[in-house]
Amino acid sequence: AFLLIFIGYEFLTSSIERFQNQDGVVYGTLALVITVISILGKEAMAQFAFHLGRKHDNPVISADGWHHRTDSLSSVVVLIGIIIVRFFPDFWWMDSVLGMFCALAIFYAAFEIMKVAIKRILGEQPSAEFLEKLNVEVNKVYGSDLKMHHVHLHNYITQKELTLHIRLQKDMTIEEGHVIASKIEQAVKDNFDMIATIHVEPLK
């Protein structure tokens, strides 16, 4: 995300400089062809990275996809600028304006990637489907509803950790509560391949 912010900043500053210097260049047909090929190639790489990111639930790969997407976007800006300036020389400033819009799109992509990454590290709300499966496994340990709540999933890609609260009978000993919590942690490990941390509360 920070790399994308840097790329967006470079886009923005270079676009402003071109606008201030009134830089306008007329390109030939070869530039058009090469730019189109660049757009198609980079976008194909971006789509492949996005596919892998979704398949493996990995924001790092998705971020790499956005890196390819920024290259594709920059080529689109170049293509539009080439076409406009080629046929309408008075619109020399269009390339700079399109570059500024491209920079804003890159900033937005960086914000979305950063938001997802931070959310996963700090803890995210699991899906309803996962909670339902988890509740079944948790209740198997004790044989009744443990009033599971405050469930958060911490996704570190190579390792996933789960934190949750359960409620047990208040007349239980600390050892009995510990045994139940340990069994639940093992069940989470066996069924979901996650490291669980459980907070025990008395049932009122």
Side-chain angles (χ1 to χ4, degrees), residues 56-89:
H56 299 286
D57 195 25
N58 191 327
V60 177
I61 299 178
S62 297
D64 187 56
W66 270 106
H67 176 259
H68 294 305
R69 172 65 60 81
T70 59
D71 289 339
S72 177
L73 284 173
S74 64
S75 297
V76 169
V77 171
V78 170
L79 178 63
I80 296 174
I82 288 174
I83 294 174
I84 292 177
V85 175
R86 186 175 183 182
F87 294 101
F88 306 97

Side-chain angles (χ1 to χ4, degrees), residues 34 49 64 72 103 140 165 171 187:
I34 293 176
D64 187 56
S72 177
K140 281 182 182 178
H165 294 200
D171 56 351

Side-chain angles (χ1 to χ4, degrees), residues 23-197:
D23 291 335
V25 181
V26 178
Y27 298 90
T29 304
L30 180 61
L32 283 170
V33 174
I34 293 176
T35 304
V36 170
I37 293 174
S38 175
I39 292 171
L40 295 176
K42 282 296 183 179
E43 184 59 28
M45 294 175 69
Q47 291 298 328
F48 181 65
F50 290 148
H51 168 72
L52 289 179
R54 290 191 297 269
K55 181 179 180 181
H56 299 286
D57 195 25
N58 191 327
V60 177
I61 299 178
S62 297
D64 187 56
W66 270 106
H67 176 259
H68 294 305
R69 172 65 60 81
T70 59
D71 289 339
S72 177
L73 284 173
S74 64
S75 297
V76 169
V77 171
V78 170
L79 178 63
I80 296 174
I82 288 174
I83 294 174
I84 292 177
V85 175
R86 186 175 183 182
F87 294 101
F88 306 97
D90 291 338
F91 286 83
W92 56 266
W93 47 267
M94 185 58 69
D95 183 56
S96 298
V97 173
L98 291 172
M100 294 177 193
F101 278 109
C102 186
L104 293 177
I106 294 172
F107 285 141
Y108 177 76
F111 169 75
E112 288 296 316
I113 291 171
M114 191 179 296
K115 184 173 69 173
V116 170
I118 292 174
K119 182 179 178 182
R120 290 190 171 195
I121 291 174
L122 296 180
E124 60 184 322
Q125 180 70 28
S127 65
E129 181 182 3
F130 175 81
L131 286 175
E132 184 176 350
K133 293 179 180 179
L134 177 64
N135 196 54
V136 170
E137 297 301 326
V138 168
N139 290 336
K140 281 182 182 178
V141 175
Y142 190 54
S144 63
D145 187 6
L146 295 180
K147 309 297 182 183
M148 184 178 63
H149 58 288
H150 280 74
V151 183
H152 291 95
L153 177 62
H154 305 266
N155 190 341
Y156 304 118
I157 308 304
T158 56
Q159 177 176 300
K160 294 183 179 181
E161 298 188 7
L162 192 69
T163 59
L164 66 145
H165 294 200
I166 60 172
R167 291 197 173 108
L168 298 175
Q169 295 295 332
K170 60 183 179 181
D171 56 351
M172 275 189 178
T173 64
I174 294 177
E175 182 179 2
E176 289 172 332
H178 172 71
V179 169
I180 293 173
S182 296
K183 288 182 178 179
I184 294 174
E185 289 171 353
Q186 189 60 48
V188 171
K189 177 65 176 177
D190 294 339
N191 291 280
F192 305 102
D193 193 26
M194 296 180 184
I195 304 299
T197 301

